[in-house]
Amino acid sequence: MKELSTTERKERTGRILVVDDEPIVCKSCVKVLRPEGYSVSTTQSGRDGIEKGASGDFDVVVVDLKMPDVDGMDVLHGVKEKQPDVEVIVITGYSTVSTAVEAMKLGAIDYLPKPFTPDELCVVVGKAMEKRNLIAENRYLREELQDKFGLENIIGKSRVMQDVFKLARKAAPTNTTVLIYGESGTGKELLAKAVHYNSLRKHKQFLPADCGALAPTLLESELFGHVKGSFTGAIVTKPGLFELAGGGTLFLDEIGNIGPETQAKLLRVLEEGEFKPVGGIEYKTVDVRLIAATNKNLEEMVREDSFRDDLFYRINVFPITLPPLRERKEDIPILAWHFLKQHSEEAGKGVRGFTPEAMKLLVNARWRGNVRELKNTIERLVITGEGKMIGAKDLPQNLRQTPDTYEGTPLPRTNKELKQIKKRLREAATSGIERSFVLEALERNNWNVSKAAQETGIQRPNFHSLMRKHGIRRPSS
């Protein structure tokens, strides 16, 4: 056999259990597989094979079908029942088609007829490990996506954002069509992903389409696909996003930009679950959840006859409105700190925070580009900043000229309303210094929360509350 490189051995590393009542077979498997980089254990008992194989300590189980105490099929069934991701290879001296088919039906990935060569053993074990690693990698990626796009990772503690989260949690486990309203930069696609990755379709595709970025003919082909020769340049048959997203979620951003013909096709998909590719003659059926988004007033477009009323009522089943940043100013300090930490780590800069004056200006800025503009601004400040703290002088000129008011907020009519506004302003202005205060205390005490709380004169539960308030967690080592 070919000598493996160190890298190849590392890639092949896996835990193998060999279950065979013949000692010579067990020894042979160990002799062949260990040099290939595998960790190999053996047992000559079928009962012991079930117990060990179902323990979760192995990636692949190689089992003989014919054993005196417990049949190999029972071992296969027992292992798969407890550990469905463990790959099982059966060894048989009775290599008939019927035994092989039965084993495969029970979940075996492959079988080896006796006698088998070392190369044959390595090939089937390698194939089993490859599948096992692929399943593990896919699960990791799915979990990573769920962690990244979970609703809890959308930043916002304001009342209006809490209302958004409540609606999203109600919509997520259903198959209903969701329509997200919001200005550009408010995070409509992020919310759409959160709905998808909290739904029953989370293991399937989430595919986005920007309806405002393509001409009507190209958009129709993008969504529904086309057949070869249907138009100039259609040199091959191409599936559309509806077909590719089968079983999953299709996100149509800026749905208000689609033309009348595409609107009619979209309505048919939503009502009948079928569509016809561009240039095609047969309908295709599809199971897709639709999430749409727009920064336009679709009701007004319906009144102006620029958007079909029947399509509007079909997509406006579960509307969610994402507020602009100017209506959730209490979230700006939290968002600013989040983006600062993110970009500071990416750029390898030691920027620790904002001065109170800088944070006050950030909170009172207009942010016409909403969260996207805030994120880009913080990234630029991290890159251009030279000190440990971002001060008012570091901010762009347009932010330094921001009036010290809440744009769009009506003047208070009562003393109670005045107190509420003053409280929000005070909290926003002091948020930065409060966070820096907690961080500095933790760093001085090597991130020992008890010592930091004692030094600052704050009770430990209250210190923990401040950490949670500002999203402060111990940095990973």
Side-chain angles (χ1 to χ4, degrees):
M1 289 184 293
K2 185 186 82 169
E3 183 72 18
L4 290 178
S5 67
T6 303
T7 302
E8 288 173 322
R9 281 200 182 93
K10 186 176 180 181
E11 288 175 349
R12 285 196 177 187
T13 298
R15 302 161 300 173
I16 315 296
L17 174 65
V18 178
V19 186
D20 197 303
D21 61 309
E22 296 183 43
I24 186 64
V25 174
C26 292
K27 289 180 181 178
S28 298
C29 288
V30 170
K31 186 177 180 180
V32 170
L33 294 174
R34 278 186 180 165
E36 296 292 305
Y38 298 114
S39 169
V40 188
S41 299
T42 65
T43 179
Q44 296 169 35
S45 163
R47 289 190 179 87
D48 189 43
I50 294 175
E51 184 178 342
K52 287 182 176 178
S55 67
D57 293 334
F58 296 94
D59 302 301
V60 176
V61 174
V62 182
V63 58
D64 189 11
L65 282 180
K66 194 71 174 178
M67 290 185 294
D69 59 340
V70 173
D71 187 83
M73 287 292 192
D74 292 329
V75 176
L76 168 63
H77 183 269
V79 171
K80 280 291 187 180
E81 186 177 37
K82 297 290 185 181
Q83 299 290 338
D85 289 344
V86 171
E87 298 302 336
V88 179
I89 300 165
V90 294
I91 301 173
T92 175
Y94 309 88
S95 58
T96 64
V97 173
S98 60
T99 55
V101 169
E102 187 180 353
M104 303 292 262
K105 284 181 178 179
L106 282 174
I109 187 174
D110 212 335
Y111 75 101
L112 276 169
K114 288 182 180 179
F116 51 84
T117 67
D119 281 336
E120 288 172 337
L121 175 62
C122 288
V123 167
V124 293
V125 170
K127 174 183 170 184
M129 275 304 307
E130 185 178 349
K131 182 181 177 184
R132 167 76 167 171
N133 290 337
L134 184 61
I135 290 172
E137 184 179 353
N138 285 340
R139 178 179 292 109
Y140 170 77
L141 292 173
R142 285 198 302 267
E143 290 172 353
E144 191 177 58
L145 284 171
Q146 286 173 235
D147 290 342
K148 183 177 180 180
F149 296 113
L151 282 165
E152 65 278 2
N153 289 323
I154 300 180
I155 298 171
K157 293 186 178 181
S158 59
R159 183 180 299 175
V160 286
M161 285 304 294
Q162 293 306 311
D163 290 340
V164 167
F165 298 151
K166 286 179 184 177
L167 289 172
R169 287 190 182 95
K170 289 180 180 179
T174 71
N175 279 319
T176 192
T177 301
V178 176
L179 178 58
I180 304 172
Y181 291 93
E183 296 178 5
S184 295
T186 49
K188 297 187 289 293
E189 184 170 344
L190 184 62
L191 181 62
K193 286 179 178 178
V195 171
H196 169 75
Y197 286 108
N198 284 271
S199 74
L200 299 176
R201 297 174 180 262
K202 61 188 176 184
H203 298 307
K204 298 292 185 178
Q205 290 264 43
F206 174 92
L207 295 180
D210 187 348
C211 300
L214 297 171
T217 51
L218 292 176
L219 177 62
E220 192 173 334
S221 171
E222 184 76 6
L223 294 179
F224 307 111
H226 62 256
V227 299
K228 181 180 179 181
S230 56
F231 55 85
T232 303
I235 57 175
V236 294
T237 296
K238 174 181 172 292
L241 291 177
F242 269 103
E243 186 173 350
L244 295 173
T249 300
L250 180 60
F251 173 60
L252 298 185
D253 197 9
E254 305 308 341
I255 195 172
N257 291 323
I258 65 176
E261 188 174 345
T262 308
Q263 288 182 32
K265 279 197 166 189
L266 181 57
L267 180 64
R268 185 175 185 93
V269 176
L270 293 173
E271 291 187 337
E272 307 295 336
E274 61 181 24
F275 65 93
K276 189 186 294 183
V278 176
I281 58 174
E282 294 182 353
Y283 281 99
K284 292 187 175 184
T285 58
V286 68
D287 170 29
V288 170
R289 181 185 193 172
L290 183 71
I291 300 179
T294 183
N295 60 7
K296 296 183 177 181
N297 187 330
L298 294 187
E299 289 186 83
E300 188 175 311
M301 292 180 67
V302 169
R303 289 193 293 269
E304 295 171 350
D305 290 329
S306 58
F307 200 87
R308 295 179 61 122
D309 57 351
D310 47 4
L311 177 59
F312 170 71
Y313 297 129
R314 189 65 184 78
I315 64 174
N316 197 44
V317 179
F318 201 102
I320 301 177
T321 300
L322 267 174
L325 206 50
R326 62 180 174 274
E327 293 179 9
R328 46 182 291 220
K329 284 182 175 284
E330 53 266 56
D331 289 334
I332 291 177
I334 308 169
L335 287 162
W337 278 105
H338 171 74
F339 295 140
L340 177 74
K341 182 176 183 295
Q342 176 185 334
H343 293 305
S344 185
E345 289 176 353
E346 289 175 356
K349 301 287 284 285
V351 185
R352 292 185 178 180
F354 307 88
T355 65
E357 294 79 10
M359 181 57 73
K360 186 176 181 180
L361 289 170
L362 291 174
V363 168
N364 290 320
R366 292 179 175 85
W367 300 120
R368 300 188 189 281
N370 292 293
V371 179
R372 185 186 296 125
E373 183 187 358
L374 174 62
K375 182 179 186 295
N376 293 341
T377 298
I378 300 300
E379 182 178 8
R380 184 169 63 252
L381 290 172
V382 168
I383 293 171
T384 59
E386 296 179 356
K388 294 294 184 183
M389 301 289 287
I390 293 175
K393 62 179 177 57
D394 299 314
L395 270 57
Q397 184 66 26
N398 65 309
L399 295 183
R400 296 203 298 271
Q401 293 176 343
T402 301
D404 188 16
T405 59
Y406 272 88
E407 182 187 359
T409 300
L411 289 172
R413 293 178 177 270
T414 65
N415 186 46
K416 181 180 179 181
E417 291 179 357
L418 176 63
K419 288 180 178 179
Q420 289 174 342
I421 292 175
K422 287 170 66 177
K423 181 182 178 183
R424 288 203 301 270
L425 284 167
R426 187 165 53 249
E427 288 177 349
T430 60
S431 177
I433 193 67
E434 188 178 68
R435 191 177 195 276
S436 296
F437 164 79
V438 174
L439 273 172
E440 289 289 339
L442 286 167
E443 288 178 358
R444 284 196 306 271
N445 291 277
N446 197 27
W447 286 85
N448 186 308
V449 177
S450 298
K451 289 182 179 180
Q454 185 178 6
E455 182 194 71
T456 55
I458 300 175
Q459 291 185 356
R460 194 173 188 278
N462 294 340
F463 198 93
H464 263 300
S465 295
L466 284 174
M467 291 176 65
R468 286 194 298 271
K469 176 182 176 181
H470 295 288
I472 298 173
R473 296 180 182 176
R474 183 184 180 92
S476 56
S477 56

